[in-house]
Amino acid sequence: MADRISTPSRTREIIEANGFYFKKNFGQNFLIDSNILDNIADSACVSKEDCILEIGPGIGSLTQVLAERAGQVVAVEIDSNLIPILKQTLGEYENIEILNQDILKTDIDAIIREKNGNRPIKVVANLPYYITTPILMDLLENERKVDTITVMVQKEVAERMQAQPKDKEYGALSVAVQYYCDAHMDMIVQPSCFMPRPKVASAVITLKVLSERKIAVKDEKLFFHLVKCAFGQRRKTLLNCLFNQGNFGFSKEELGEILHSLEWDERIRGEALSIYDFARLTDAIWERQQNI
Ligand code: SAM
């Protein structure tokens, strides 16, 4: 096993030798605690059978640990200043491919097809926090062929993914994660484990993407449209949100009738609905649209 990139002294040495400056706007907080890196790889159950997609390898601290356990690692890094550094730090590993790209513009399906014969991959990352939600929503809503997603995120965001109706953090991300996945909080990580230190605590969470949905809905697009409407104006009642933003072509009275048919009070708010309630609402609106 090669020397770890992730020790504080080695990380500092690599950064100084290359005249690298951390870019806040790229969410660059590098991990400098080897135990945490091992724990992330353990949480993702990485084995030689796996093809891993890593988002944002930085100087390669997590990439190294993943490459020692996985069959293959594809790491997508936006910052071109890090590419020559990664070539040095990870040069001895033949099972790593580094792509200098923005993950939000990367053809992830092509990576899965070309690097893993279209079999599901695992996503493992210490995510750039400024784009946590778009990255996760892209993977889930587009139903990329992903088996598990093990990611470091802000602790508050990890809590949001597991939040339940009426919790302060409950929102569209909670519904999407709970609709597509089983989520497991792996560990809380303190700011002292990063260089530079972030202002808030972080957490590693694993999302097991389900091959079959927990609930069946008549129209998945409608389901997520309702979720976005319901949380779009949190202070308004569900009825007002649906009427103002839903574009269903129903009058307010008709929407009220749909809520009554579900035995809900007209003053109910979106944040009170579980994923099962959103599914019932979806089917009720869909049936009304079809005149059933
Ligand atoms: N994996 C490294 C570690 O754990 O030390 C670095 C993690 S750091 C939190 C996030 C990394 O994501 C940085 O290297 C940053 O440059 C990269 N990044 C930021 N935005 C990105 C994007 N849109 N696409 C790909 N990488 C991105």
Side-chain angles (χ1 to χ4, degrees), residues 26-31 54 56-58 77-78 102-103 126 130:
F26 280 158
Q28 290 176 340
N29 300 95
F30 297 167
L31 272 165
E54 190 198 358
E77 173 57 60
I78 197 171
D102 177 347
I103 190 65
N126 170 17
Y130 73 108

Side-chain angles (χ1 to χ4, degrees), residues 34-46:
S34 290
N35 292 328
I36 302 283
L37 294 167
D38 286 325
N39 291 342
I40 294 174
D42 289 345
S43 300
C45 299
V46 179

Side-chain angles (χ1 to χ4, degrees), residues 194-209:
F194 301 84
M195 184 188 293
R197 293 180 183 200
K199 289 204 176 72
V200 291
S202 303
V204 177
I205 189 163
T206 293
L207 309 179
K208 165 83 191 127
V209 182

Side-chain angles (χ1 to χ4, degrees), residues 214-284:
K214 276 179 234 168
I215 39 171
V217 289
K218 302 266 191 226
D219 182 337
E220 214 163 67
K221 245 179 139 179
L222 179 60
F223 175 89
F224 282 105
H225 175 60
L226 289 176
V227 171
K228 285 198 180 106
C229 284
F231 292 108
Q233 296 175 298
R234 286 187 87 106
R235 283 156 190 265
K236 296 220 153 86
T237 61
L238 176 67
L239 180 59
N240 279 329
C241 290
L242 295 178
F243 183 63
N244 295 341
Q245 300 177 73
N247 289 321
F248 302 111
F250 295 142
S251 66
K252 206 164 178 178
E253 288 66 37
E254 287 172 310
L255 287 167
E257 282 169 27
I258 294 175
L259 299 191
H260 289 154
S261 73
L262 296 167
E263 297 180 356
W264 296 347
D265 191 305
E266 274 196 15
R267 288 163 303 176
I268 195 169
R269 288 178 198 274
E271 64 204 22
L273 304 189
S274 67
I275 61 170
Y276 301 96
D277 294 328
F278 276 113
R280 289 180 67 212
L281 180 61
T282 304
D283 289 355

Side-chain angles (χ1 to χ4, degrees), residues 6 23 27 56 74 76 78 81-82 92 99 134 159 171 244 247 254 262 265 273 277 279 285:
S6 55
K23 293 174 200 70
V74 179
V76 179
I78 197 171
N81 292 337
L82 287 168
E92 68 190 88
L99 304 176
E159 285 165 355
N244 295 341
N247 289 321
E254 287 172 310
L262 296 167
D265 191 305
L273 304 189
D277 294 328
I285 291 184

